[in-house]
CSV table of all heavy atoms in Angstrom, one decimal:
chain,number,residue,atom,x,y,z
E,265,PRO,N,-44.9,286.8,-87.3
E,265,PRO,CA,-45.1,285.4,-87.5
E,265,PRO,C,-45.9,284.8,-86.4
E,265,PRO,O,-45.9,285.3,-85.3
E,265,PRO,CB,-43.7,284.9,-87.6
E,265,PRO,CG,-42.9,285.8,-86.8
E,265,PRO,CD,-43.5,287.2,-87.0
E,266,ALA,N,-46.4,283.6,-86.6
E,266,ALA,CA,-47.1,282.9,-85.6
E,266,ALA,C,-46.2,282.5,-84.5
E,266,ALA,O,-45.0,282.3,-84.8
E,266,ALA,CB,-47.8,281.7,-86.1
E,267,PRO,N,-46.6,282.3,-83.2
E,267,PRO,CA,-45.7,281.8,-82.2
E,267,PRO,C,-45.2,280.5,-82.5
E,267,PRO,O,-45.8,279.6,-83.1
E,267,PRO,CB,-46.6,281.8,-80.9
E,267,PRO,CG,-48.0,281.7,-81.5
E,267,PRO,CD,-48.0,282.4,-82.8
E,268,PRO,N,-43.9,280.2,-82.0
E,268,PRO,CA,-43.3,278.9,-82.3
E,268,PRO,C,-44.1,277.7,-81.8
E,268,PRO,O,-44.7,277.8,-80.7
E,268,PRO,CB,-41.9,279.0,-81.6
E,268,PRO,CG,-41.7,280.5,-81.3
E,268,PRO,CD,-43.1,281.1,-81.2
E,269,ALA,N,-44.1,276.7,-82.5
E,269,ALA,CA,-44.8,275.5,-82.1
E,269,ALA,C,-44.0,274.7,-81.1
E,269,ALA,O,-44.5,273.8,-80.4
E,269,ALA,CB,-45.1,274.6,-83.3
E,270,GLY,N,-42.7,274.9,-81.0
E,270,GLY,CA,-41.9,274.1,-80.1
E,270,GLY,C,-40.6,274.9,-79.8
E,270,GLY,O,-40.4,276.0,-80.2
E,271,PRO,N,-39.6,274.2,-79.2
E,271,PRO,CA,-38.4,274.9,-78.8
E,271,PRO,C,-37.6,275.4,-80.1
E,271,PRO,O,-37.7,274.9,-81.1
E,271,PRO,CB,-37.5,273.8,-78.2
E,271,PRO,CG,-38.6,272.8,-77.7
E,271,PRO,CD,-39.7,272.8,-78.7
E,272,ALA,N,-37.0,276.6,-79.9
E,272,ALA,CA,-36.3,277.2,-81.0
E,272,ALA,C,-35.0,276.4,-81.3
E,272,ALA,O,-34.4,275.7,-80.4
E,272,ALA,CB,-35.9,278.6,-80.6
E,273,THR,N,-34.6,276.5,-82.5
E,273,THR,CA,-33.3,275.8,-82.9
E,273,THR,C,-32.4,276.9,-83.5
E,273,THR,O,-32.9,278.0,-83.7
E,273,THR,CB,-33.6,274.7,-83.9
E,273,THR,OG1,-34.1,275.3,-85.1
E,273,THR,CG2,-34.6,273.7,-83.3
E,274,ALA,N,-31.3,276.5,-83.9
E,274,ALA,CA,-30.4,277.4,-84.6
E,274,ALA,C,-30.9,278.0,-85.9
E,274,ALA,O,-30.6,279.1,-86.3
E,274,ALA,CB,-29.0,276.8,-84.8
E,275,THR,N,-31.8,277.2,-86.5
E,275,THR,CA,-32.4,277.7,-87.8
E,275,THR,C,-33.8,278.2,-87.6
E,275,THR,O,-34.4,278.6,-88.5
E,275,THR,CB,-32.5,276.5,-88.8
E,275,THR,OG1,-33.2,275.4,-88.2
E,275,THR,CG2,-31.1,276.0,-89.1
E,276,GLN,N,-34.2,278.3,-86.3
E,276,GLN,CA,-35.6,278.9,-86.1
E,276,GLN,C,-35.4,280.1,-85.1
E,276,GLN,O,-35.5,279.9,-83.9
E,276,GLN,CB,-36.4,277.8,-85.4
E,276,GLN,CG,-37.9,278.3,-85.1
E,276,GLN,CD,-38.6,277.2,-84.4
E,276,GLN,OE1,-38.4,276.1,-84.6
E,276,GLN,NE2,-39.6,277.7,-83.5
E,277,PRO,N,-35.1,281.3,-85.6
E,277,PRO,CA,-34.9,282.4,-84.7
E,277,PRO,C,-36.2,282.8,-84.0
E,277,PRO,O,-37.3,282.5,-84.4
E,277,PRO,CB,-34.5,283.5,-85.7
E,277,PRO,CG,-35.1,283.1,-87.0
E,277,PRO,CD,-35.1,281.6,-87.0
E,278,ILE,N,-36.0,283.4,-82.8
E,278,ILE,CA,-37.1,283.9,-82.0
E,278,ILE,C,-37.5,285.2,-82.6
E,278,ILE,O,-36.7,286.1,-82.8
E,278,ILE,CB,-36.7,284.0,-80.6
E,278,ILE,CG1,-36.4,282.6,-80.0
E,278,ILE,CG2,-37.8,284.7,-79.7
E,278,ILE,CD1,-35.9,282.7,-78.6
E,279,ALA,N,-38.8,285.3,-82.8
E,279,ALA,CA,-39.3,286.6,-83.3
E,279,ALA,C,-40.6,287.0,-82.5
E,279,ALA,O,-41.2,286.1,-81.9
E,279,ALA,CB,-39.7,286.5,-84.8
E,280,PRO,N,-40.9,288.2,-82.4
E,280,PRO,CA,-42.1,288.6,-81.7
E,280,PRO,C,-43.3,287.9,-82.2
E,280,PRO,O,-43.6,287.8,-83.4
E,280,PRO,CB,-42.2,290.1,-81.9
E,280,PRO,CG,-40.8,290.5,-82.2
E,280,PRO,CD,-40.2,289.4,-83.0
E,281,GLY,N,-44.1,287.4,-81.3
E,281,GLY,CA,-45.4,286.8,-81.6
E,281,GLY,C,-46.5,287.8,-81.7
E,281,GLY,O,-46.3,289.0,-81.4
E,282,PRO,N,-47.6,287.4,-82.3
E,282,PRO,CA,-48.8,288.3,-82.5
E,282,PRO,C,-49.5,288.6,-81.2
E,282,PRO,O,-50.3,287.8,-80.7
E,282,PRO,CB,-49.7,287.6,-83.5
E,282,PRO,CG,-49.4,286.1,-83.2
E,282,PRO,CD,-47.9,286.1,-82.7
E,283,ILE,N,-49.1,289.7,-80.5
E,283,ILE,CA,-49.8,290.1,-79.3
E,283,ILE,C,-51.1,290.8,-79.7
E,283,ILE,O,-51.2,291.9,-80.1
E,283,ILE,CB,-49.0,291.1,-78.5
E,283,ILE,CG1,-47.6,290.5,-78.2
E,283,ILE,CG2,-49.7,291.5,-77.2
E,283,ILE,CD1,-47.6,289.3,-77.3
E,284,ALA,N,-52.2,290.1,-79.5
E,284,ALA,CA,-53.5,290.5,-80.0
E,284,ALA,C,-54.0,291.7,-79.1
E,284,ALA,O,-53.7,291.8,-77.9
E,284,ALA,CB,-54.6,289.4,-80.0
E,285,ALA,N,-54.8,292.6,-79.7
E,285,ALA,CA,-55.3,293.7,-79.0
E,285,ALA,C,-56.7,293.4,-78.5
E,285,ALA,O,-57.6,294.2,-78.5
E,285,ALA,CB,-55.4,295.0,-79.9
E,286,THR,N,-56.9,292.2,-78.0
E,286,THR,CA,-58.3,291.7,-77.6
E,286,THR,C,-58.9,292.6,-76.6
E,286,THR,O,-60.1,292.9,-76.6
E,286,THR,CB,-58.2,290.3,-77.1
E,286,THR,OG1,-57.5,289.5,-78.1
E,286,THR,CG2,-59.6,289.7,-76.9
E,287,LEU,N,-58.1,293.0,-75.6
E,287,LEU,CA,-58.6,293.8,-74.5
E,287,LEU,C,-59.0,295.2,-74.9
E,287,LEU,O,-59.7,295.9,-74.2
E,287,LEU,CB,-57.6,293.9,-73.3
E,287,LEU,CG,-57.4,292.5,-72.6
E,287,LEU,CD1,-56.4,292.7,-71.5
E,287,LEU,CD2,-58.7,292.0,-72.0
E,288,ASP,N,-58.6,295.7,-76.1
E,288,ASP,CA,-59.0,297.0,-76.6
E,288,ASP,C,-60.3,297.0,-77.4
E,288,ASP,O,-60.7,298.0,-77.9
E,288,ASP,CB,-57.9,297.5,-77.5
E,288,ASP,CG,-56.7,297.9,-76.7
E,288,ASP,OD1,-56.8,298.4,-75.5
E,288,ASP,OD2,-55.5,297.7,-77.2
E,289,GLN,N,-60.9,295.8,-77.5
E,289,GLN,CA,-62.1,295.7,-78.3
E,289,GLN,C,-63.3,295.5,-77.4
E,289,GLN,O,-63.2,295.1,-76.3
E,289,GLN,CB,-61.9,294.5,-79.3
E,289,GLN,CG,-60.7,294.6,-80.2
E,289,GLN,CD,-60.5,293.4,-81.0
E,289,GLN,OE1,-61.2,292.4,-80.8
E,289,GLN,NE2,-59.4,293.4,-81.8
E,290,GLY,N,-64.5,295.8,-78.0
E,290,GLY,CA,-65.7,295.6,-77.3
E,290,GLY,C,-66.3,296.8,-76.6
E,290,GLY,O,-65.6,297.8,-76.4
Side-chain angles (χ1 to χ4, degrees):
T273 66
T275 58
Q276 179 184 330
I278 296 175
I283 305 296
T286 308
L287 290 178
D288 289 325
Q289 301 171 0

